[in-house]
């Protein structure tokens, strides 16, 4: 294969100039009560994905996240489905999405007459929208420079920090050098690395953002008395959060960090960016930073990642809607035991079959193939786990809505 | 022979690349041979040198915690002899499975 940095493939052009690697219809439900109907609409339909928010009471963070996902470059059209008595308004979601030049519709189940009539109406809408975006979305050439790629690790073991994450780091260096955007997160997995992190800043401004994000993460962990490390990590040989942090940070590669973005924000330019997913201080102190791997993956997709890399030493079977997930393990035993779910064997770095440079290049080739349309293992298996929760992150508009 | 990997020359621990006992090949920063004092699982750490109580356990060239007891070269380094400088709860977990022991199931 030629240099993955030079390879060109055809993507889907959106009005905002971003390019998608898939052309999907997204069904969004706005309360748990509408969940079954939303999934029944998408059942058996190719190129139709689902996500939703379970709460009846609305949450600014969750709405911001859903709107970022609904206007993601891989999404061509949206159907929002509500029950009819919840706070979150499907009509408003659809209206904002139409403002991005995408077809978008909404309805309330209570107005359609029930489960069967709502599913039938929903299917009619998604069939129509799928045809429309297939016919109308312009196809344009893409390269690595057009990609935003996120990376998360989960089910980490002793190999993740030695092989899995450093392989992603080597790929991220290539992606950044090619003019693309690389996004990593999990600031709660940087505990103990404050100086190390701040030294990587591309500018004084970036250093301030990184220090502030780190301090918030450490305060948060102390406040909730919980560090981002699980029984499986310890069983796999990790002994402390500091050790896990150093291994996790290896996925950021070696290029300077341009700055910090928050959930649903897009990188402000090319290069390497850190995503802050930690809740901001709030009088209710609610939300968890990374309640599970899927939540972190949703956050990375909300930053515009057209593909997400997931490093798992212990092995995992999750996938994601909207953006294909590519699963990497640094543990050869995990790779051979869970071959049907794993996309990339980075354990070859530890056996000496590949050096990191070669592993990064091979991963770049896989990313290009999946971006060109080849299905990743989770995509092929139909895994589309999602998770949207109540959380609080500050935005200027959030001060609105309270009586003095 | 089983192998372990030392990331940085300053590290006083190495990570097992295979499950091992007896003599192991230390790869990475400073290649050497090491005699394990016990069976150590894949992904787990072994001490490369003597680490005194309270001394930093170093991996990736940086401290990952501190020794809670005297650790001898070739010994398994984990929750039973190394503590985080941040996370206190991890000291209560089962040393083999990592399972919690402090949550009431009643």
């Amino acid at each position: 294969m030629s240099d993955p940095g030079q390879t060109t493939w055809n993507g889907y052009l959106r009005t905002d100039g971003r390019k998608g690697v898939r052309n999907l219809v997204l069904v969004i439900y706005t309360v748990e009560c509408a969940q079954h109907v939303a999934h029944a609409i998408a059942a058996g339909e190719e190129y139709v994905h689902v996500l939703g928010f379970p709460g009846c009471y609305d949450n600014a963070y969750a709405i911001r996240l859903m709107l970022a996902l609904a206007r993601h470059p891989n999404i061509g059209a949206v159907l929002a489905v509500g029950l009819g008595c919840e706070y979150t308004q499907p009509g408003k979601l659809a209206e904002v999405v139409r403002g991005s030049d995408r077809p978008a519709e909404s309805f309330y189940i209570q107005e359609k007459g029930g489960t069967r009539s709502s599913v039938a109406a929903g299917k009619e809408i998604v069939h129509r929208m799928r045809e429309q975006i297939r016919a109308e979305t312009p196809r344009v050439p893409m390269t690595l420079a057009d990609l935003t790629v996120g990376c998360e690790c989960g089910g980490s073991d002793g190999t993740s920090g030695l092989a899995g994450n450093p392989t992603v780091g080597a790929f991220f260096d290539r992606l950044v050098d090619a003019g693309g955007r690389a996004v990593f997160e999990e600031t709660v997995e940087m505990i103990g690395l404050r100086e190390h992190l701040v030294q990587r800043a591309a500018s004084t401004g970036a250093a301030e953002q990184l220090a502030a994000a780190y301090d918030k993460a450490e305060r948060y962990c102390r406040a909730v008395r919980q560090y981002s490390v699980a029984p499986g990590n310890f069983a796999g040989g990790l002994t402390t959060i500091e050790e896990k942090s150093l291994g996790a940070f290896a996925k950021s590669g070696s290029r300077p960090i341009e700055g910090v973005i928050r959930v649903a924000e897009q990188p402000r330019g090319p290069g390497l960016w850190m995503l802050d997913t930690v809740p901001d201080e709030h009088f209710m102190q609610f939300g968890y930073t990374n309640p599970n791997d899927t939540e972190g993956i949703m956050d990375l997709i909300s930053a515009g990642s057209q593909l997400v890399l997931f490093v798992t030493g212990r092995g995992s079977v999750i996938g994601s809607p909207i953006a294909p997930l590519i699963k990497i393990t640094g543990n050869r035993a995990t790779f051979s035991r869970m071959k049907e779910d794993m996309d990339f064997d980075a354990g070859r770095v530890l056996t000496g079959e590949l050096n990191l440079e070669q592993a990064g290049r091979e991963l770049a080739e896989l990313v290009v193939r999946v971006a060109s349309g080849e299905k990743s293992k989770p995509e092929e298996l139909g895994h589309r786990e999602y998770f949207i929760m109540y959380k609080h992150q500050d935005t200027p508009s959030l001060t609105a809505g309270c009586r003095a | 022979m089983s192998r372990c990997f030392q990331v940085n020359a300053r590290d006083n621990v190495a990570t097992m690349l295979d499950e091992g006992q007896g003599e192991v090949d230390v790869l990475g920063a400073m290649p050497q041979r090491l005699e394990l004092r016990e069976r150590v699982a894949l992904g787990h750490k072994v001490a490369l040198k003597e680490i005194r109580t309270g001394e930093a356990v170093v991996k990736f060239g940086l401290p990952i915690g501190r020794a809670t007891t005297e650790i001898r070269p070739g010994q398994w380094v984990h929750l039973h002899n190394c503590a985080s400088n941040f996370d206190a709860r991890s000291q209560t977990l089962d040393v083999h499975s990592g399972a919690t022991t402090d949550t009431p199931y009643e």
Side-chain angles (χ1 to χ4, degrees):
Chain A
M1 195 170 174
S2 60
D3 180 1
Q6 305 298 320
T7 313
T8 300
W9 67 91
N10 271 332
Y12 301 89
L13 181 66
R14 308 300 171 195
T15 311
D16 62 7
R18 290 188 296 168
K19 298 170 186 175
V21 301
R22 298 288 184 270
N23 198 22
L24 305 168
V25 176
L26 183 65
V27 179
I28 302 180
Y29 61 88
T30 48
V31 64
E32 185 64 14
C33 321
Q35 194 248 98
H36 174 85
V37 166
H39 278 281
I41 291 169
E45 303 292 347
E46 242 195 321
Y47 310 116
V48 180
H49 290 189
V50 181
L51 60 84
F53 180 64
C56 179
Y57 194 72
D58 60 0
N59 174 255
Y61 168 93
I63 288 175
R64 209 158 57 232
L65 176 53
M66 286 194 286
L67 281 173
L69 295 169
R71 292 173 292 174
H72 184 280
N74 291 354
I75 298 297
V78 172
L79 168 64
V81 180
L83 174 64
C85 36
E86 67 271 31
Y87 273 84
T88 306
Q89 295 176 47
K92 285 218 162 176
L93 294 177
E95 186 187 321
V96 173
V97 174
R98 278 196 299 274
S100 73
D101 259 353
R102 289 171 172 82
E105 296 182 33
S106 69
F107 67 78
Y108 281 125
I109 294 166
Q110 288 168 347
E111 290 170 5
K112 287 282 176 211
T115 301
R116 286 201 183 89
S117 42
S118 296
V119 173
K123 279 198 177 279
E124 191 273 314
I125 294 170
V126 298
H127 291 163
R128 182 161 34 80
M129 291 200 293
R130 186 171 57 194
E131 266 321 298
Q132 187 185 345
I133 61 173
R134 188 180 286 165
E136 293 177 5
T137 311
R139 301 300 303 267
V140 281
M142 283 181 84
T143 65
L144 280 184
D146 298 303
L147 280 186
T148 302
V149 180
C151 179
E152 153 123 347
C153 54
S156 298
D157 68 3
T159 68
S160 300
L162 297 183
N165 289 324
T167 295
V168 171
F171 164 67
F172 268 9
D173 285 354
R174 275 178 176 272
L175 178 64
V176 167
D177 296 345
R181 293 157 159 82
V183 184
F184 68 102
E185 55 142 352
E186 300 167 295
T187 46
V188 287
E189 288 176 12
M190 290 169 207
I191 298 302
L193 311 188
R194 192 180 195 278
E195 278 171 46
H196 197 56
L197 174 69
V198 173
Q199 275 168 9
R200 290 275 302 278
S203 63
T204 322
E208 284 165 10
Q209 292 169 24
L210 290 168
Y214 175 88
D215 290 342
K216 183 178 75 167
E218 195 183 310
R219 254 190 337 268
Y220 173 87
C221 289
R222 288 183 189 281
V224 299
R225 292 166 186 81
Q226 186 196 320
Y227 291 87
S228 187
V229 54
N233 301 144
F234 294 106
L238 293 173
T239 304
T240 65
I241 180 65
E242 298 95 302
E243 180 182 12
K244 187 177 173 184
S245 296
L246 279 160
F249 191 61
K251 67 166 109 57
S252 68
S254 64
R255 299 299 181 257
I257 303 167
E258 302 297 327
V260 176
I261 55 171
R262 289 164 167 249
V263 175
E265 282 181 356
Q266 311 300 301
R268 295 179 283 275
L272 177 67
W273 294 81
M274 187 170 93
L275 171 62
D276 172 18
T277 65
V278 177
D280 284 326
E281 272 97 353
H282 184 271
F283 71 98
M284 278 172 74
Q285 286 301 356
F286 66 95
Y288 273 90
T289 299
N290 292 121
N292 53 47
D293 295 328
T294 293
E295 197 263 352
I297 290 166
M298 301 305 291
D299 294 344
L300 289 165
I301 299 173
S302 83
S305 306
Q306 295 106 322
L307 296 115
V308 176
L309 308 175
F310 184 55
V311 179
T312 172
R314 304 277 290 166
S316 168
V317 297
I318 60 168
S320 51
I322 305 174
L325 192 69
I326 294 175
K327 293 221 286 285
I328 299 158
T329 183
N331 187 326
R332 295 220 82 170
T334 299
F335 187 80
S336 45
R337 197 172 56 243
M338 300 181 72
K339 205 165 184 160
E340 58 176 338
D341 287 273
M342 294 296 145
D343 292 286
F344 193 88
D345 174 15
R348 289 170 296 163
V349 170
L350 296 177
T351 58
E353 285 166 68
L354 288 180
N355 62 32
L356 272 181
E357 153 76 24
Q358 292 163 327
R361 182 194 166 99
E362 210 183 285
L363 181 55
E365 290 167 359
L366 175 63
V367 164
V368 165
R369 287 203 306 276
V370 173
S372 316
E374 182 180 308
K375 284 186 174 175
S376 73
K377 292 280 176 76
E379 252 187 318
E380 212 173 282
L381 289 163
H383 276 286
R384 287 174 200 159
E385 289 83 347
Y386 59 87
F387 192 82
I388 295 178
M389 64 183 300
Y390 285 102
K391 199 189 271 193
H392 170 77
Q393 281 196 325
D394 287 328
T395 61
S397 62
L398 253 173
T399 43
C402 289
R403 289 181 201 275
Chain B
M1 195 188 313
S2 42
R3 306 152 310 144
C4 63
F5 193 88
Q6 180 189 20
V7 186
N8 189 291
R10 286 195 297 273
D11 295 357
N12 53 19
V13 292
T15 307
M16 294 297 298
L17 300 181
D18 314 285
E19 170 159 338
Q21 57 184 344
E23 206 177 18
V24 288
D25 227 345
V26 183
L27 311 176
M30 292 195 308
Q32 54 179 299
R33 288 275 165 87
L34 179 74
E35 185 72 25
L36 296 183
R37 287 172 194 271
E38 55 202 308
R39 192 175 191 85
V40 185
L42 166 76
H44 284 249
K45 292 174 294 302
V46 290
L48 293 171
K49 48 184 94 156
E50 176 133 348
I51 309 171
R52 267 178 256 139
T53 310
E55 204 182 317
V57 174
V58 179
K59 182 178 167 185
F60 301 100
L62 292 166
I64 61 162
R66 60 185 193 288
T68 51
T69 177
E70 200 79 10
I71 306 174
R72 301 171 70 193
Q75 258 190 317
W76 176 35
V77 178
H78 201 35
L79 299 166
H80 58 298
N81 53 18
C82 172
S84 166
N85 288 313
F86 294 85
D87 176 15
R89 191 184 182 194
S90 56
Q91 292 301 292
T92 69
L93 302 174
D94 180 86
V95 70
H96 294 285
S97 67
T100 57
T101 58
D102 61 350
T103 306
Y105 284 79
E106 323 172 311

